[in-house]
Amino acid sequence: MNFKTSIICLSILLIGFSLNAQRVNNESVRITYRGLPEQPFPLTSNTYSVSVNVLGDQDLSDLKPETSPQLLIEKYLQLESFRQLIAGGHFHINIQIGELNITQLTNEERKTTTTKDSVKTTTISYYKKVVYRYPITLQVLDPSGEVLLRKVENNGSNGMVYEFKKNKASYFPTIKELDASWEKKKEDVLNEFREHLIPRTFEKYQKLLITNFDTRVTTEKIDLQWPKGKKIPNGDEHDANIATAAGILSKMTADGALEPLQEEMAPVKAFWEAQLPLLPTDDKRLRKVHYACLYNLALVSTHLEQFDEARTYLATCEELGENKRMTNQLTDALDDIEASLVENERPSRHFAIDLSDAVGPEGVDYTQYIRINGRRDRAVQYEGYMITNSGDSLTGNFVFSDGEFREPSFYESGNTIFVYEQDGKTQSLFFDPDKTTKAGFRGRTFIVIDYSPLLALGTKKNIMEVLEGGTKLSLYRYYPFRVNENTENEPDAALVIHKSGEKPEPLSLFNLSFTNWRKSFAAYFPDCEALQEQIRAGEYKRNERRMKDAIRLYNNNDCE
């Protein structure tokens, strides 16, 4: 067979393939609805208040206007589903702008050049390495003072690093010139840190508050399946119905009722239903069109919140087995929508928000839990205990160097130390997991167990706070201690689950064992079928509160 004949044969094969292949395109459309929070308040809790504390002797008035507390509140702390009150409310958002802490080191750079005569000259230049931390703390409180959410930004153990140079391309020729320039420009540099970090951190907290507690108008792109070609039954009508369906879905609004759109979509769904008998599934080409009609029926039923119909169509899609990936993705989306509606006590993702009658509870005063704006955030201490490896039980105080409402950092460069009296002298200890078995303060219990963080080599003694304990299953919060060894690189306060008799497992997003959250979490409750079904249905989300609920129910043998 010569080259020309081979080309002709290949062309015939390709033409034959294209005639037998069925093309199905995507018709993208954007839908709009209200995204629901992960940790919703009861629907009757619809008011809140806000405070921003600037700690220490900071004066932010010389900074850019957008760093002023009032403008920060107006821009970043407005929640759509709640009425903001001057004080009180069903919950309170407090943000503390801590003091800027810096450490400066003078570094040198040596550069050696060689002339044509092989004469070497070494030039030394200097710059400052500035390590800075600017802790900004978010806390959300309920009327009893319980902290519902706490987060600290810009306060990592390694700090943030800035190099102070003469200009972008060169260092200073002498230390004297470096120090003189630093003293002259220091305040401007520090204010630049503040101007950059304050709005950035408030924006982060805005997203965190919305994700956890608030609804938000959400747009999402979904893809209808559009069979192309004139050789499928009623090809032109397929085109027209895809266009009609896209137009109907695009009319969705966050607060508009779905019933009118469901009525508009009924003839389109009837058309897709009518095509199914005309598209035999034993024909490979028409089978794709058959699946496209079924998938579209499931897709529009899901987003028009006709959930029973959607599940019926998805079950048929699964039986057909044509495109398992798309079927599974839509099934997961439907599970998430239904579970979120149940958790939020909402019948729909489309509703109006009316706060005209919203009133806060009487007698709520959050100032008793929060420092007044402008006061220095001094160290605080809490009565507690520590039990050593030798069995000695010590009573004393846990001292937090950076103030109230802080999370403990037990490592040596952290913020927490244990102080106690012994033989008339004041002694101090770090909570070292190699020397201690247990500790506690303010009703919180910390234990030491064998645990291997995700990125660490080997198993070592590590500190865990008991969030929910029991004979069968426990939920802990892990606190690193050996951070200076660069072997414990998980974020502070990662959650850990521990089944009796097995190794504790980190619940970090980086743990591949929990990529499929529902399946993996449900596996921890093998003798509680009802709870497993609820977890697989999405009723227990990946947040601390819901995990504690599931573990408490399991430990109490309440599996009915």
Side-chain angles (χ1 to χ4, degrees):
M1 183 181 292
N2 59 31
F3 179 74
K4 183 176 181 181
T5 305
S6 298
I7 293 296
I8 293 171
C9 290
L10 180 60
S11 300
I12 292 171
L13 286 171
L14 290 174
I15 292 170
F17 174 78
S18 64
L19 289 173
N20 288 312
Q22 175 59 54
R23 191 157 50 96
V24 178
N25 289 357
N26 290 336
E27 174 66 9
S28 297
V29 58
R30 290 200 167 274
I31 60 172
T32 303
Y33 56 88
R34 289 198 185 278
L36 300 177
E38 294 180 359
Q39 300 186 54
F41 286 102
L43 297 182
T44 53
S45 298
N46 53 9
T47 63
Y48 73 109
S49 56
V50 178
S51 61
V52 175
N53 303 133
V54 182
L55 305 181
D57 301 322
Q58 298 181 88
D59 183 2
L60 305 185
S61 61
D62 292 334
L63 304 184
K64 294 178 180 178
E66 52 265 34
T67 62
S68 75
Q70 187 55 42
L71 290 180
L72 291 167
I73 290 172
E74 292 174 4
K75 184 172 183 179
Y76 297 109
L77 301 180
Q78 303 297 316
L79 301 182
E80 186 176 352
S81 304
F82 306 91
R83 173 184 250 175
Q84 187 181 122
L85 306 178
I86 296 175
H90 293 93
F91 63 96
H92 184 82
I93 300 169
N94 172 247
I95 296 184
Q96 297 183 9
I97 302 175
E99 295 182 85
L100 180 62
N101 301 305
I102 66 167
T103 302
Q104 48 183 309
L105 301 172
T106 298
N107 290 1
E108 65 178 40
E109 183 181 78
R110 294 173 178 264
K111 188 173 183 180
T112 301
T113 57
T114 305
T115 66
K116 293 180 180 179
D117 300 328
S118 299
V119 176
K120 293 184 177 181
T121 304
T122 300
T123 303
I124 305 176
S125 54
Y126 303 91
Y127 67 96
K128 282 191 182 293
K129 180 180 179 181
V130 182
V131 179
Y132 62 101
R133 298 176 181 84
Y134 195 32
I136 300 179
T137 304
L138 164 72
Q139 50 199 358
V140 179
L141 307 170
D142 74 3
S144 68
E146 181 181 350
V147 179
L148 305 175
L149 176 68
R150 179 189 285 117
K151 181 76 172 175
V152 182
E153 288 283 342
N154 317 318
N155 198 36
S157 56
N158 295 324
M160 297 165 283
V161 178
Y162 170 79
E163 289 186 356
F164 179 72
K165 301 182 289 189
K166 188 171 186 178
N167 52 52
K168 289 184 179 180
S170 64
Y171 299 135
F172 290 88
T174 66
I175 293 179
K176 182 178 180 180
E177 186 177 339
L178 167 63
D179 288 342
S181 181
W182 172 246
E183 286 304 315
K184 182 179 179 181
K185 297 180 180 179
K186 176 180 175 181
E187 281 307 312
D188 290 338
V189 171
L190 299 186
N191 282 339
E192 286 177 8
F193 294 162
R194 295 184 178 100
E195 289 175 342
H196 169 67
L197 289 171
I198 291 174
R200 189 186 74 168
T201 305
F202 270 72
E203 185 175 9
K204 282 185 179 181
Y205 287 158
Q206 177 190 47
K207 293 176 181 177
L208 186 63
L209 289 166
I210 290 172
T211 298
N212 280 277
F213 305 118
D214 198 16
T215 65
R216 65 274 186 197
V217 176
T218 303
T219 59
E220 177 185 347
K221 180 176 76 68
I222 61 173
D223 293 321
L224 292 161
Q225 298 300 289
W226 186 355
K228 302 289 286 185
K230 302 294 183 182
K231 296 207 170 187
I232 61 174
N234 304 312
D236 290 339
E237 291 184 59
H238 274 283
D239 296 349
N241 277 274
I242 287 291
T244 301
I248 294 169
L249 292 171
S250 66
K251 294 179 185 178
M252 277 188 186
T253 62
D255 54 1
L258 290 179
E259 286 78 4
L261 302 184
Q262 293 170 353
E263 292 177 9
E264 277 191 71
M265 190 67 77
V268 179
K269 293 172 70 174
F271 168 77
W272 286 326
E273 285 268 16
Q275 303 315 297
L276 298 178
L278 307 178
L279 301 164
T281 56
D282 56 356
D283 182 308
K284 187 175 181 179
R285 184 173 64 85
L286 295 180
R287 179 188 181 91
K288 290 186 176 181
V289 184
H290 188 106
Y291 176 79
C293 292
L294 274 175
Y295 180 84
N296 287 341
L297 285 162
L299 183 70
V300 300
S301 298
T302 295
H303 292 291
L304 290 175
E305 298 181 356
Q306 298 166 309
F307 298 134
D308 291 341
E309 291 183 27
R311 292 205 177 276
T312 300
Y313 293 129
L314 282 169
T316 310
C317 285
E318 190 171 353
E319 290 173 10
L320 188 62
E322 177 60 27
N323 193 324
K324 293 182 180 179
R325 180 184 61 83
M326 287 178 57
T327 301
N328 290 339
Q329 286 178 344
L330 185 54
T331 300
D332 288 345
L334 175 57
D335 289 343
D336 287 342
I337 293 169
E338 287 200 288
S340 181
L341 289 173
V342 170
E343 190 165 9
N344 279 268
E345 302 176 346
R346 294 278 187 185
S348 172
R349 296 191 297 174
H350 302 262
F351 53 88
I353 296 174
D354 182 5
L355 300 173
S356 58
D357 296 328
V359 179
E362 294 183 4
V364 176
D365 179 14
Y366 290 102
T367 59
Q368 60 185 308
Y369 311 121
I370 301 167
R371 292 186 175 277
I372 298 174
N373 184 29
R375 291 185 182 174
R376 182 175 296 278
D377 194 18
R378 301 184 187 278
V380 295
Q381 55 186 5
Y382 306 112
E383 291 184 6
Y385 67 90
M386 186 178 285
I387 301 175
T388 67
N389 284 352
S390 60
D392 294 332
S393 182
L394 308 175
T395 57
N397 292 294
F398 277 91
V399 179
F400 282 63
S401 61
D402 53 359
E404 198 173 2
F405 300 122
R406 298 295 193 260
E407 279 298 298
S409 299
F410 293 115
Y411 42 83
E412 291 188 15
S413 60
N415 66 352
T416 310
I417 195 168
F418 182 71
V419 178
Y420 64 102
E421 296 289 330
Q422 188 175 58
D423 299 328
K425 296 181 180 180
T426 300
Q427 309 284 345
S428 63
L429 287 174
F430 291 106
F431 187 1
D432 186 338
D434 291 327
K435 301 175 182 178
T436 315
T437 60
K438 189 176 182 181
F441 62 90
R442 299 192 84 188
R444 301 169 68 174
T445 301
F446 299 82
I447 62 174
V448 174
I449 66 171
D450 292 327
Y451 172 65
S452 177
L454 274 178
L455 303 179
L457 298 176
T459 299
K460 296 182 180 180
K461 299 290 184 183
N462 278 290
I463 301 167
M464 300 284 171
E465 180 179 6
V466 181
L467 302 177
E468 189 66 45
T471 56
K472 296 192 288 186
L473 199 60
S474 296
L475 183 69
Y476 303 136
R477 181 180 288 122
Y478 156 67
Y479 289 86
F481 182 77
R482 304 171 188 86
V483 294
N484 294 327
E485 296 179 12
N486 293 320
T487 58
E488 296 189 1
N489 298 314
E490 285 186 80
D492 288 6
L495 294 180
V496 173
I497 192 167
H498 188 197
K499 191 167 188 176
S500 180
E502 298 182 7
K503 291 182 178 180
E505 277 274 343
L507 291 172
S508 165
L509 294 174
F510 300 103
N511 186 352
L512 299 180
S513 299
F514 287 90
T515 302
N516 186 332
W517 167 249
R518 296 177 187 175
K519 180 179 178 181
S520 301
F521 190 49
Y524 276 88
F525 310 91
D527 49 346
C528 193
E529 188 175 337
L531 181 57
Q532 282 188 318
E533 289 180 2
Q534 292 171 341
I535 293 169
R536 292 192 191 105
E539 294 183 27
Y540 289 87
K541 288 188 174 292
R542 194 172 189 159
N543 62 58
E544 180 183 318
R545 179 174 63 84
R546 294 299 283 155
M547 284 188 270
K548 286 166 64 175
D549 289 343
I551 291 170
R552 187 181 307 116
L553 184 152
Y554 181 62
N555 285 329
N556 291 337
N557 297 313
D558 188 9
C559 288
E560 297 300 326

